[in-house]
Amino acid sequence: MSPSSETAHGQRLVIVESPAKAKTIKGYLGPGYIVEASVGHIRDLPSTAAEVPDKYTGEVRRLGVDVDHDFAPIYVVNADKKSQVSKLKSLLAESDELFLATDEDREGEAIAWHLQQVLKPKVPVHRMVFHEITKAAIQEAVANPRELNQRLVDAQETRRILDRLYGFEVSPVLWKKVMPKLSAGRVQSVATRLVVERERERMAFRSASYWDLVGTFGTGRTPADAANPETFGARLASVDGKRIASGRDFGSDGRLKAGSTNTLHLDEQAARQLAAALEQTAFSVRSVESKPYRRSPYAPFRTTTLQQEASRKLGFGAKRTMQVAQKLYENGFITYMRTDSTTLSETAVTAARAQVTQLYGADYLPDAPRTYASKVKNAQEAHEAVRPSGDRFRTPAETGLSGDDFKLYELIWMRTVASQMKDAVGQSVTVRVGGASADGRDVEFSASGKIITFHGFLKAYVEGADDPNAELDDRERRLPQVAQGDPLAAERITPEGHATKPPARYTEASLVKELEDREIGRPSTYASIIDTIIQRRYVFKKGTALVPSFLSFAVVNLLEKHFGRLVDYDFTARMEDDLDRIAAGEAKSVPWLKRFYFGEGEGEGAAGAAAEAGNGDGDHLGGLKELVTDLGAIDAREISSFRISDDITLRVGRYGPYVERASTVEGEPGQRADIPDELPPDELTVELAEELLAKPSGDFELGPDPVSGNMLVAKDGRYGPYVTEILPEGTPKTGKNAVKPRTASLFKTMSLDTVTLEDALRLLSLPRVVGTDAEGAEITAQNGRYGPYLKRGTDSRSLTSEDQLFTITLDEALAIYAQPKQRGRAAAAPPLKELGTDPVSERPVVVKDGRFGPYVTDGETNATLRKDDDVETITPERGYELLAEKRARGPVKKAAKKAPAKKAAAKKTTTAKATATKTAAKKTAAKKTTTATKTAAAKKTAAKKTAAAKATATDEG
């Protein structure tokens, strides 16, 4: 069948997920085909009870799943997809064949099944699959379609039902016991627990101090060159046969680990004494050990390794990586990006080997193609590795791409080509240097070197590392050519102090790796999971590190104590195995769901193996339903309370975390102080808690307003200190006659503990009328969000100080207005500090002074310095980190403009509505992202205390 010619088959309708994908494929199929997008899922479980058909009541209406009748799901066509479904039905009515060309994974198979169920085609239906969008691949897929894979559909449906039950049953528990609008999920809760546990480890960590010596030794040979240096550095390895303690010898409690009997722990005094005793020592080479060095290429990318490397090398978050990869795939540049496989097709291997020869020469090409076995258990995505598409790889320069698209394509291209190159080979050398100290102790220093004699694949690609101090594979360390017995002169021996560090927080890259290593969830969902826990405020980013919020501590505390099985790592991994067994036809869905939800055994043995796991209160009952029914044992206050010291407690309240010290007088209120937003939990020390409690808090009565008689008070608000008035009881707060209290922010020179009634009266007198100009226009002095300014009609002019608000005269104001108004920004001030070249944007990074304080910029991205950052001491690395964090957050979304006034002309309103409708349609169809099209995200509905409100619980993994 030729896809480019219209045959007796007539018109064929091809349905894909996204408009971008449809546009690319349409160009390859010709006039006999209509290619249309479903724009993601067209049907799903209802987001709210209001979407459930009226015939369903009770639990079915709340859950969207009939748990009493084999967990039958209630599917509804998404409200925003009804018009698209109508369009697809209309196109199908004019077609003779239907090709369902959604992605070739479980979710893509499920979308195809839903399309078939909703459209009810009366013409032949074909499942068209491909893993790259090239002309050859598309034509091959049309010519060789297959049937819908019902096992994949059933497996995806089971996951969807499982996630719905988990989310809609556990989330309401969090609402009642922790805070409204929280969510729980099968994978997101476990991912949050991982981040919280790492922070707990950091909080419990006790640093250990240890010292050693670093020596610089000379061979005495000249001249020296890069290949044979005259001097080299070595570190103290042993004293009298005892190995010098290093960081790995200490536990998290700051003590030497058990079994360290033959280890010598040097403190500063001992290290300095030993260095002094070695000043006159004659050293010599005691041994030279040389071993061959060989490093094989890294496997081609799969989803998770792509996310990790894009994070390390490009500073991309997992979500951003998948969005860019999706765009590259849909436009025909790379193969399908959600894959567990590291294998390459014969076509891809041939293309990669040809490019190796072309770009690096035949010396870099191995005799036989390299093959890579997948390390992922139950790999199910049915694709090859992520690679450039086609039977000939386009070099990055040939693609015409730019920006993020270019960077990610280049990364994928380099990794793929390198995977078919020869090993890197060389020599690794260890030199031992010995001598005797003045007090008779035998000491030995050690130095390691590495020489790469043939770089092989390292010419094309070097993998990054999560540890910034780790040495990359292509780094060489050359040592001089010495032999055993050669004398050496100690040019310098320096004592060096060290301290053990707490375990590093997870980054997006390392959390993805941890989830995959533990076999939790599906790799294709990790990007959306990480995005979810950030959006839910369970985690925030500090640089590239993922830091848990105090809120997440309360949530994880509740889940561990009362739903321990649901956040148990092994249980979650075994549950994933069970789902894979269902997909393989080795287990059945309904009995497994019954065991999970009701705790019933259905004779499925191995299929329900995960349900046997249990820990925590009540988990022995086995079923989710029973766990969420009796909540009496959960003490909400205890769950959200964490002891900091004997008399200070951290509590997570409904309006945020705070520290509290109980009153020593019974019945009297204790002290409370809010905790700053985004304070890392491991930084909340007893000293900081004391400092917060010592700060002025609450309302400070300043005295009555002499005019109104209302009490004026000073408060510390979320956006800083301010003064306001207390209105009399009975003052209407809503409606047409509502009265708002006067409020004014304190000047920068003022503080809560020094502000006076006189200050408050002056602040509340603003805006101040300065006078009128010759034309009668009033000029006022006002204090705004961006500082003090003058206002005349719509013309505003900045003032240089807050004091001018009260002192500026009419003549001075008119003089300011007599000056031409500066359009745009003022002339750029010179940078406060230069930091170097950003490794991602490759542009110079500088520190500048801005409206909201100092910030770093590379000319494209701006990032404000945090309160702990200082212009004088900030390092280039910290600057790059702030920029990477800002890029990961993406552009700030601007609030939608308010609707025009009702009195606007009808024509204008109509035009505006039409434009808005077109714009919305374009935006909806613009792109398919991992979260927008492949995740049934919970919709925001009006907050009602009904079953409809309950049904808004997020049920994402």
Side-chain angles (χ1 to χ4, degrees):
M1 178 191 306
S2 172
S4 59
S5 60
E6 199 164 359
T7 67
H9 290 280
Q11 182 171 280
R12 305 180 187 91
L13 175 62
V14 179
I15 301 179
V16 298
E17 297 100 327
S18 76
K21 189 174 173 183
K23 182 179 179 181
T24 307
I25 291 174
K26 186 175 183 179
Y28 296 142
L29 289 178
Y33 295 81
I34 294 177
V35 185
E36 186 58 51
S38 67
V39 195
H41 285 274
I42 62 163
R43 190 172 75 156
D44 196 7
L45 297 174
S47 296
T48 66
E51 295 179 6
V52 180
D54 293 339
K55 64 179 180 179
Y56 298 105
T57 58
E59 287 292 275
V60 182
R61 189 171 189 82
R62 181 176 72 87
L63 295 173
V65 176
D66 190 345
V67 297
D68 295 320
H69 294 87
D70 292 343
F71 296 86
I74 312 302
Y75 290 119
V76 296
V77 174
N78 302 343
D80 59 341
K81 297 295 172 63
K82 288 182 178 179
S83 61
Q84 189 66 14
V85 169
S86 297
K87 181 179 181 180
L88 293 173
K89 285 182 176 179
S90 176
L91 292 172
L92 181 60
E94 301 170 0
S95 302
D96 301 296
E97 286 182 274
L98 173 62
F99 287 82
L100 299 173
T102 51
D103 294 336
E104 191 187 5
D105 56 12
R106 287 179 186 148
E107 195 157 9
E109 207 74 12
I111 293 175
W113 179 77
H114 281 294
L115 283 166
Q116 190 172 18
Q117 296 295 306
V118 172
L119 298 180
K120 296 180 172 56
K122 297 178 182 179
V123 296
V125 179
H126 309 288
R127 180 74 173 99
M128 175 179 162
V129 292
F130 44 87
H131 60 265
E132 62 180 347
I133 303 178
T134 61
K135 186 171 185 177
I138 297 302
Q139 294 184 354
E140 173 70 18
V142 168
N144 297 284
R146 62 165 172 81
E147 296 297 317
L148 203 67
N149 187 329
Q150 194 60 42
R151 281 183 182 173
L152 283 182
V153 173
D154 292 344
Q156 181 62 20
E157 185 172 68
T158 303
R159 286 172 185 275
R160 190 73 188 93
I161 293 170
L162 171 65
D163 289 340
R164 169 54 62 97
L165 295 176
Y166 191 126
F168 273 44
E169 291 288 21
V170 181
S171 296
V173 178
L174 301 183
W175 304 347
K176 294 174 185 175
K177 299 297 183 179
V178 182
M179 188 184 293
K181 299 182 180 180
L182 299 179
S183 74
R186 179 170 57 91
V187 180
Q188 67 156 288
S189 295
V190 175
T192 303
R193 183 189 173 198
L194 280 169
V195 180
V196 167
E197 281 200 336
R198 179 59 56 86
E199 196 72 9
R200 287 172 179 164
E201 292 173 14
R202 291 174 61 87
M203 294 166 75
F205 181 82
R206 297 294 176 266
S207 182
S209 173
Y210 61 97
W211 286 69
D212 60 11
L213 304 179
V214 175
T216 301
F217 298 94
T219 62
R221 301 172 190 163
T222 53
D225 57 37
N228 187 22
E230 180 186 356
T231 62
F232 66 99
R235 192 171 293 275
L236 182 65
S238 66
V239 175
D240 288 337
K242 285 192 172 185
R243 185 172 60 81
I244 298 300
S246 62
R248 67 177 181 272
D249 295 307
F250 296 90
S252 60
D253 58 358
R255 300 177 181 177
L256 281 172
K257 294 177 182 175
S260 302
T261 53
N262 197 40
T263 303
L264 178 62
H265 179 196
L266 291 180
D267 59 18
E268 182 177 4
Q269 182 180 358
R272 294 193 181 282
Q273 287 176 351
L274 181 57
L278 293 173
E279 287 180 357
Q280 304 301 322
T281 299
F283 290 94
S284 64
V285 176
R286 288 191 175 173
S287 67
V288 179
E289 184 182 1
S290 180
K291 294 180 180 178
Y293 164 83
R294 179 174 292 273
R295 184 72 171 86
S296 297
Y298 324 101
F301 282 132
R302 58 181 188 273
T303 302
T304 52
T305 53
L306 175 62
Q307 290 171 0
Q308 291 166 46
E309 275 294 84
S311 174
R312 297 169 186 143
K313 288 182 174 290
L314 306 179
F316 290 4
K319 180 181 178 181
R320 182 178 175 191
T321 298
M322 296 309 290
Q323 287 175 335
V324 177
Q326 178 94 30
K327 184 178 176 183
L328 290 173
Y329 164 67
E330 291 178 345
N331 286 283
F333 289 102
I334 63 171
T335 54
Y336 191 55
M337 66 286 156
R338 279 185 284 274
T339 174
D340 295 336
S341 176
T342 55
T343 60
L344 293 175
S345 65
E346 287 186 18
T347 301
V349 169
T350 301
R353 287 173 63 83
Q355 212 143 52
V356 170
T357 305
Q358 176 189 350
L359 298 175
Y360 300 100
D363 290 343
Y364 286 82
L365 187 70
D367 294 335
R370 290 185 179 274
T371 57
Y372 297 89
S374 178
K375 295 180 181 179
V376 180
K377 187 177 178 182
N378 297 323
Q380 58 88 22
E381 303 296 356
H383 307 116
E384 58 178 311
V386 185
R387 63 164 177 85
S389 60
D391 54 10
R392 177 194 171 277
F393 296 164
R394 284 169 284 188
T395 64
E398 293 173 328
T399 61
L401 296 169
S402 61
D404 289 354
D405 298 348
F406 178 89
K407 292 173 185 176
L408 194 65
Y409 178 85
E410 183 180 45
L411 195 70
I412 294 167
W413 173 79
M414 289 191 299
R415 177 88 164 212
T416 308
V417 172
S419 74
Q420 291 301 315
M421 294 174 72
K422 281 185 177 179
D423 290 352
V425 295
Q427 291 287 323
S428 61
V429 181
T430 301
V431 175
R432 291 273 178 169
V433 177
S437 67
D439 53 9
R441 287 182 284 178
D442 182 78
V443 299
E444 195 166 88
F445 288 76
S446 178
S448 297
K450 182 176 74 175
I451 301 171
I452 301 174
T453 55
F454 179 73
H455 279 76
F457 76 94
L458 294 176
K459 280 280 189 183
Y461 189 84
V462 180
E463 189 171 66
D466 292 321
D467 181 358
N469 298 316
E471 186 174 83
L472 300 183
D473 288 332
D474 64 338
R475 298 286 169 84
E476 288 189 316
R477 299 183 307 278
R478 290 187 175 270
L479 296 179
Q481 296 171 14
V482 294
Q484 185 174 340
D486 284 356
L488 297 172
E491 297 186 356
R492 184 168 55 254
I493 293 181
T494 309
E496 206 170 80
H498 311 274
T500 56
K501 294 181 179 180
R505 291 189 178 100
Y506 287 108
T507 62
E508 289 198 31
S510 60
L511 182 58
V512 164
K513 187 177 187 302
E514 185 72 16
L515 289 169
E516 186 175 42
D517 288 346
R518 290 179 180 267
E519 298 172 359
I520 293 170
R522 299 307 314 174
S524 58
T525 66
Y526 292 161
S528 62
I529 292 298
I530 292 173
D531 184 57
T532 297
I533 64 177
I534 292 174
Q535 294 300 322
R536 293 284 174 184
R537 298 188 298 120
Y538 292 150
V539 169
F540 62 91
K541 297 186 78 171
K542 185 177 181 181
T544 58
L546 297 175
V547 184
S549 62
F550 289 104
L551 171 64
S552 69
F553 270 70
V555 169
V556 170
N557 197 27
L558 185 152
L559 294 175
E560 285 177 334
K561 288 184 177 179
H562 299 279
F563 301 92
R565 178 168 55 104
L566 298 183
V567 288
D568 179 78
Y569 302 132
D570 293 336
F571 168 78
T572 308
R574 287 199 296 272
M575 189 157 49
E576 202 65 48
D577 290 342
D578 289 347
L579 291 167
D580 285 327
R581 295 181 74 254
I582 292 170
E586 298 169 6
K588 293 184 179 178
S589 171
V590 173
W592 190 88
L593 285 170
K594 281 185 177 179
R595 184 163 186 122
F596 172 77
Y597 191 69
F598 293 115
E600 298 176 1
E602 294 292 318
E604 283 296 315
E612 299 291 350
N615 57 15
D617 300 343
D619 275 355
H620 60 280
L621 298 173
L624 173 64
K625 182 62 178 175
E626 200 156 356
L627 284 175
V628 300
T629 300
D630 182 13
L631 304 180
I634 302 178
D635 184 331
R637 186 173 176 82
E638 179 190 353
I639 284 294
S640 299
S641 300
F642 305 90
R643 182 73 63 186
I644 295 176
S645 69
D646 291 340
D647 64 338
I648 301 178
T649 302
L650 161 73
R651 301 196 192 281
V652 180
R654 297 215 157 196
Y655 303 104
Y658 60 92
V659 286
E660 180 181 59
R661 175 185 278 133
S663 173
T664 54
V665 181
E666 189 174 347
E668 290 289 320
Q671 282 181 286
R672 285 188 179 186
D674 291 336
I675 294 174
D677 289 343
E678 298 194 356
L679 174 73
D682 73 338
E683 294 180 17
L684 181 59
T685 60
V686 176
E687 294 75 22
L688 178 58
E690 293 278 9
E691 183 182 324
L692 292 172
L693 289 168
K695 285 183 177 179
S697 60
D699 299 353
F700 292 87
E701 290 191 356
L702 303 175
D705 184 325
V707 177
S708 68
N710 295 338
M711 179 61 68
L712 301 186
V713 296
K715 295 186 175 187
D716 193 9
R718 190 172 190 86
Y719 303 106
Y722 65 99
V723 292
T724 187
E725 64 179 333
I726 305 298
L727 298 176
E729 284 189 30
T731 303
K733 297 180 180 179
T734 58
K736 292 182 179 179
N737 298 320
V739 178
K740 289 186 177 181
R742 293 174 295 155
T743 299
S745 296
L746 266 61
F747 286 175
K748 293 177 182 178
T749 55
M750 299 176 180
S751 63
L752 279 176
D753 52 351
T754 60
V755 67
T756 64
L757 175 61
E758 183 183 355
D759 292 331
L761 292 171
R762 294 178 74 209
L763 291 171
L764 293 173
S765 70
L766 296 172
R768 178 175 74 92
V769 177
V770 178
T772 57
D773 65 9
E775 298 177 0
E778 189 175 74
I779 300 175
T780 57
Q782 305 189 28
N783 199 19
R785 181 180 178 185
Y786 305 121
Y789 65 98
L790 292 173
K791 186 175 178 67
R792 180 177 64 179
T794 58
D795 190 355
S796 300
R797 303 295 175 94
S798 295
L799 295 174
T800 57
S801 72
E802 291 170 323
D803 289 337
Q804 281 186 287
L805 290 169
F806 301 110
T807 61
I808 193 168
T809 65
L810 177 61
D811 289 340
E812 290 171 337
L814 291 173
I816 291 174
Y817 275 106
Q819 301 294 323
K821 185 167 184 178
Q822 186 176 323
R823 298 293 175 183
R825 296 185 177 181
L832 303 177
K833 189 173 185 179
E834 297 181 357
L835 298 180
T837 303
D838 185 85
V840 176
S841 65
E842 298 181 349
R843 297 169 65 97
V845 177
V846 296
V847 182
K848 290 189 173 185
D849 195 15
R851 178 181 288 167
F852 305 106
Y855 65 97
V856 291
T857 180
D858 63 352
E860 294 179 346
T861 305
N862 300 338
T864 304
L865 268 59
R866 303 289 172 81
K867 64 179 182 180
D868 295 332
D869 296 319
D870 181 72
V871 175
E872 297 299 325
T873 60
I874 189 170
T875 63
E877 291 72 22
R878 176 60 176 156
Y880 308 152
E881 186 180 51
L882 289 170
L883 290 174
E885 177 188 350
K886 184 65 179 290
R887 293 190 195 100
R889 288 202 301 264
V892 177
K893 294 181 180 178
K894 294 183 179 179
K897 292 183 179 179
K898 292 183 180 179
K902 291 182 180 179
K903 293 182 179 180
K907 184 177 180 181
K908 288 186 179 180
T909 304
T910 307
T911 306
K913 284 185 178 179
T915 305
T917 304
K918 288 179 182 178
T919 304
K922 287 180 181 178
K923 287 184 178 177
T924 302
K927 60 179 178 179
K928 166 191 170 189
T929 65
T930 304
T931 52
T933 64
K934 291 226 160 186
T935 304
K939 298 178 181 178
K940 294 181 180 177
T941 58
K944 298 179 182 178
K945 296 181 180 179
T946 62
K950 283 189 176 182
T952 60
T954 300
D955 59 317
E956 300 306 324

